[in-house]
């Protein structure tokens, strides 16, 4: 993909993507991070594609104005951990320390975001491993491995080989949300579909799941507001 700028107030950055499967030019604004993607069929010129985007620039700016504000994780920032807001403060020693209302991060301020991200990934691995092991033992079904990613389009997945994947950002959500996603993916070890039989397994493992499932659909994208690269 190549980046292009539509001038104006404010300027809009557009990622142009060519696709052999596309049948027409389309624009998409990600609900997760506000990224604008301009998808064009093969053979359509860059000039024509950008002309289409420029015609839609008022719509694009309206969509972008409705996006949640990005939060750069640095000293003084507030971010949720396990569903509770924590203030990022300077810490002592060598380790990140999670408190009731603060997350203390030692070292250089410009490295705080990366250190918090590393801490959250390890915390996510620990909590998801516990949840997955618990639910898999309940079903008496093994899984082959568990990996973490910063997935944009899904919170978790289960392959036909029993490989589980989760977004590490789940550790920022309330514990019941993380537990629900763990139960959801483990349920796929038994039912590799979304049939009623599958949802019955989810209920068997987790219990009533409507509240966390609804939260992920309506508010889950806010977890992608937080940026850890310091940019």
């Amino acid at each position: 993909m190549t980046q292009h700028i539509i001038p104006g107030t404010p300027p809009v950055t557009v990622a142009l993507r060519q696709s052999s499967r596309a049948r027409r030019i389309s624009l998409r604004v990600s609900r997760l991070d506000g990224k604008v993607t301009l998808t064009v069929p093969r053979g359509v010129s860059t000039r024509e594609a950008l002309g289409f985007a420029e015609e839609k620039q008022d719509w694009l700016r309206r969509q972008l104005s409705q996006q949640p504000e990005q939060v750069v994780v640095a000293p003084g920032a507030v971010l949720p951990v396990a569903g509770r807001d924590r203030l990022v403060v300077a810490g002592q020693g060598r380790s990140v320390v999670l408190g009731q209302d603060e997350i203390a991060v030692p070292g250089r301020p410009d490295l705080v975001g990366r250190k918090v991200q590393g801490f959250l990934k390890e915390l996510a691995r620990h909590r998801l491993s516990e949840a997955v092991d618990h639910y898999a033992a309940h079903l008496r079904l093994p899984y082959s491995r568990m990996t973490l990613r910063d997935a944009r389009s899904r919170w978790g997945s289960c392959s036909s080989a029993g490989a589980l994947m989760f977004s590490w950002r789940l550790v920022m959500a309330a514990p019941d949300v993380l537990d629900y996603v763990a139960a959801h993916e483990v349920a796929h070890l038994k039912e590799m579909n979304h049939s009623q039989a599958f949802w019955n397994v989810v209920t068997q493992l987790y219990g009533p799941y409507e509240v966390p499932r609804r939260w992920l659909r309506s508010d889950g994208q806010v977890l992608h507001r937080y940026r850890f690269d310091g940019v």
Side-chain angles (χ1 to χ4, degrees), residues 98-144:
L98 181 65
Q100 286 295 311
D101 300 300
E102 295 179 339
I103 180 167
V105 188
R108 289 164 38 187
D110 60 318
L111 298 179
V112 163
R114 293 179 185 177
K115 288 186 176 182
V116 172
Q117 184 183 54
F119 173 82
L120 292 179
K121 286 182 178 180
E122 287 305 310
L123 185 61
R125 185 175 303 280
H126 172 71
R127 294 188 174 176
L128 282 163
S129 293
E130 283 190 335
V132 165
D133 288 346
H134 170 74
Y135 293 131
H138 190 81
L139 285 183
R140 298 183 179 179
L141 291 174
Y143 61 96
S144 58

Side-chain angles (χ1 to χ4, degrees), residues 57-128:
Q57 61 181 291
D58 290 342
W59 176 82
L60 282 174
R61 290 192 178 92
R62 285 197 302 271
Q63 295 297 310
L64 291 170
S65 69
Q66 298 169 10
Q67 295 290 319
E69 183 179 355
Q70 297 284 296
V71 176
V72 176
V73 176
V78 175
L79 77 156
V81 182
R84 186 186 182 102
D85 284 345
R86 325 277 176 146
L87 176 67
V88 180
V89 299
Q92 303 296 321
R94 302 179 63 181
S95 301
V96 175
V97 177
L98 181 65
Q100 286 295 311
D101 300 300
E102 295 179 339
I103 180 167
V105 188
R108 289 164 38 187
D110 60 318
L111 298 179
V112 163
R114 293 179 185 177
K115 288 186 176 182
V116 172
Q117 184 183 54
F119 173 82
L120 292 179
K121 286 182 178 180
E122 287 305 310
L123 185 61
R125 185 175 303 280
H126 172 71
R127 294 188 174 176
L128 282 163

Side-chain angles (χ1 to χ4, degrees), residues 199-211:
W199 291 111
N200 290 343
V201 176
V202 176
T203 302
Q204 173 190 347
L205 293 176
Y206 178 82
Y209 54 81
E210 291 81 5
V211 172

